[in-house]
């Protein structure tokens, strides 16, 4: 590795960020500066950027964004929330429980943290406020639960991680030491995300219970009502079928995650138009505009981050970092701790998809040298970065929840810190116990 190239890449990137440049400009500018220093043809950067979007799995990105927007307009997300509220029943902090459950349901459709926060928050934050929940706490539990949207499959960051990692072979030294590594695929990542997602959700439920008990937030009813639950399930049966069809099709091998996104779109259009009869042309146009804006922003980041990552690999920067870290310690638990703390820090300042694209070429060789399964690495990376949705200063879910609830972000941050704490503990458990991620894929033959 030529140190001056690393200085140009990372120094230029940080300098442009400090000057207020968008992350796309910072990545592209740093990469272009490195090309000039290396006296390479800048046209190669454009070619790399163009080729980065020629991937079939990447088609899942706009499809899932569109599916999530359409499901909100078609009344599917509202019915999922109704079911979650009925299931919460008399549990202490029942509306907080319902919020977490609703984010689990909607996360199995949208694949996006901010989209999950917005869809559920528009219904749950006003509902919690009406039942005398502190508005800042209602916004905080929604922001914390929205991060489940990228852990519960299908997930847009899982698709991006798969695309970034599929072309990276384990270092020869790792192969000699640990033998052949298990395969990595986007469907396998989706299956592997189920148990960690449930563990992360459980940690939020536990913290919600203790906070609600201390604050006197009671359940929605004195006891569970079978009649109300049957009514909610009957009204929401088509909504429940949406995640079941999407996940069931992926797990059964009927279609790929990319194809499942297309299935979700057509399913939503049919249900919203012919069954619920709530979908309107204006809502479809709005969903298309939202999809275009989000997809365009992500693809611009993907263009420049791919070129940035390619330079890192060509200059052997990841392998040098791996060697330095392994010289520091060979204890895998210590390395996992360092990686998680580093990702928590990065998640505070960088968008999730950009962080994945930039850091995968750096982190994956390090973890290969410890013998870690690449699927397990992907799940831990995504779980850790999901916490970044509720940590300032970036904290996208905080701003979404603040916009819906009308509370200042500063107040929400104070109330969200306990959820950050328990989510971090859950992430360490997932990292230290690989079978939480790998048990279900092995059971299903991956």
């Amino acid at each position: 590795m030529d140190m001056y190239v690393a200085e140009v890449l990372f120094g230029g990137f940080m300098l442009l960020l400090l000057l207020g440049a968008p992350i796309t400009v910072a990545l592209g500018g740093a990469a272009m500066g490195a090309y000039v220093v290396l006296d390479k043809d800048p046209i190669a950067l454009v070619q790399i950027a163009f080729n980065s979007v020629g991937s079939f799995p990447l088609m899942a990105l706009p499809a899932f964004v569109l599916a999530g927007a359409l499901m909100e307009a078609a009344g599917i997300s509202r019915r999922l929330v109704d079911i979650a509220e009925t299931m919460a029943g008399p549990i202490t902090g029942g509306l907080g429980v319902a919020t977490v459950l609703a984010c689990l349901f909607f996360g199995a459709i949208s694949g996006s943290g901010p989209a999950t926060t917005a869809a559920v928050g528009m219904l749950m934050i006003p509902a919690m406020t009406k039942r005398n929940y502190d508005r800042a706490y209602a916004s905080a539990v929604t922001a914390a639960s929205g991060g489940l949207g990228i852990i519960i499959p299908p997930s847009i960051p899982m698709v991006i991680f798969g695309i970034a990692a599929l072309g990276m072979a384990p270092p020869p030294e790792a192969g000699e030491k640990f033998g052949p590594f298990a395969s990595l695929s986007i469907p396998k990542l989706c299956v592997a995300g189920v148990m960690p997602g449930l563990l992360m959700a459980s940690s939020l439920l536990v913290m919600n219970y203790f906070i609600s008990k201390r604050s006197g937030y009671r359940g929605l009813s004195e006891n569970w009502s079978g009649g109300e639950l049957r009514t909610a399930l009957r009204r929401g049966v088509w909504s429940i079928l949406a995640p079941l069809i999407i996940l069931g099709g992926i797990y059964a091998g009927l279609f790929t995650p990319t194809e499942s996104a297309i299935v979700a779109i057509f399913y939503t259009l049919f249900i919203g138009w012919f069954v619920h009869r709530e979908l309107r042309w204006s809502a479809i146009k709005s969903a298309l505009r939202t999809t275009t804006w989000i997809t365009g922003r992500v693809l611009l980041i993907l263009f420049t981050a791919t070129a940035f990552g390619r330079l890192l690999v060509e200059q052997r920067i990841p392998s040098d970092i791996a060697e330095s870290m392994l010289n520091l310690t060979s204890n895998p638990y210590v390395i996992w701790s360092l990686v998680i703390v580093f990702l928590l820090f990065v998640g505070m300042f960088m968008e999730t998809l950009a962080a994945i694209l930039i850091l995968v070429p750096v982190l994956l060789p390090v973890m290969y040298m410890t013998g870690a399964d690449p699927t397990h690495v992907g799940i831990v990376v995504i779980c850790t970065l999901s916490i970044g949705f509720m940590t300032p200063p970036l904290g996208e879910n905080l701003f979404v929840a603040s916009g819906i609830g009308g509370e200042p972000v500063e107040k929400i941050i104070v109330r969200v810190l306990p959820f950050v704490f328990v989510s971090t503990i859950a992430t360490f458990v997932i990292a230290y116990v690989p079978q939480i991620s790998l048990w279900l894929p092995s059971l299903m033959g991956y």
Side-chain angles (χ1 to χ4, degrees), residues 261-315:
I262 308 301
V263 171
I265 291 172
F266 282 98
Y267 179 84
T268 304
L269 289 172
F270 177 80
I271 297 302
W273 201 268
F274 296 105
V275 180
H276 294 166
R277 299 184 179 181
E278 297 181 16
L279 199 58
R280 300 290 181 267
W281 281 113
S282 59
I284 294 176
K285 291 178 183 177
S286 176
L288 289 170
R289 280 195 298 269
T290 300
T291 303
T292 302
W293 183 80
I294 293 176
T295 303
R297 185 183 65 173
V298 172
L299 288 181
L300 282 173
I301 295 172
L302 179 63
F303 286 161
T304 51
T306 301
F308 190 95
R310 181 72 62 85
L311 278 169
L312 289 178
V313 174
E314 287 178 356
Q315 298 302 310

Side-chain angles (χ1 to χ4, degrees), residues 198-370:
L198 294 176
L199 178 60
M200 296 286 281
S202 299
S203 70
L204 299 179
L205 290 172
V206 170
M207 182 54 68
N208 172 72
Y209 173 81
F210 285 111
I211 294 175
S212 298
K213 190 172 183 179
R214 186 185 62 197
S215 304
Y217 300 146
R218 303 180 63 185
L220 296 170
S221 59
E222 294 299 324
N223 47 52
W224 277 285
S225 169
E228 290 181 4
L229 182 58
R230 284 192 296 272
T231 300
L233 288 172
R234 186 173 63 251
R235 290 187 67 249
V237 62
W238 297 106
S239 300
I240 286 288
L241 281 176
L244 291 179
I245 289 172
I246 294 170
L247 298 181
I250 294 173
Y251 298 162
L254 297 177
F255 36 73
T256 66
T258 303
E259 293 164 345
S260 73
I262 308 301
V263 171
I265 291 172
F266 282 98
Y267 179 84
T268 304
L269 289 172
F270 177 80
I271 297 302
W273 201 268
F274 296 105
V275 180
H276 294 166
R277 299 184 179 181
E278 297 181 16
L279 199 58
R280 300 290 181 267
W281 281 113
S282 59
I284 294 176
K285 291 178 183 177
S286 176
L288 289 170
R289 280 195 298 269
T290 300
T291 303
T292 302
W293 183 80
I294 293 176
T295 303
R297 185 183 65 173
V298 172
L299 288 181
L300 282 173
I301 295 172
L302 179 63
F303 286 161
T304 51
T306 301
F308 190 95
R310 181 72 62 85
L311 278 169
L312 289 178
V313 174
E314 287 178 356
Q315 298 302 310
R316 293 184 52 81
I317 295 174
S319 59
D320 287 349
I321 293 174
E323 185 178 344
S324 301
M325 187 175 288
L326 292 171
N327 286 336
L328 180 66
T329 176
S330 59
N331 188 315
Y333 296 106
V334 175
I335 292 176
W336 267 125
S337 299
L338 293 172
V339 167
I340 290 172
V341 171
F342 175 64
L343 289 172
L344 287 172
F345 176 76
V346 168
M348 294 171 63
F349 300 96
M350 191 179 296
E351 192 177 48
T352 302
L353 300 183
I356 290 172
L357 287 165
I358 295 169
L359 296 177
V360 165
V362 177
L363 292 178
L364 202 53
V366 175
M367 302 317 299
Y368 271 133
M369 293 303 294
T370 66

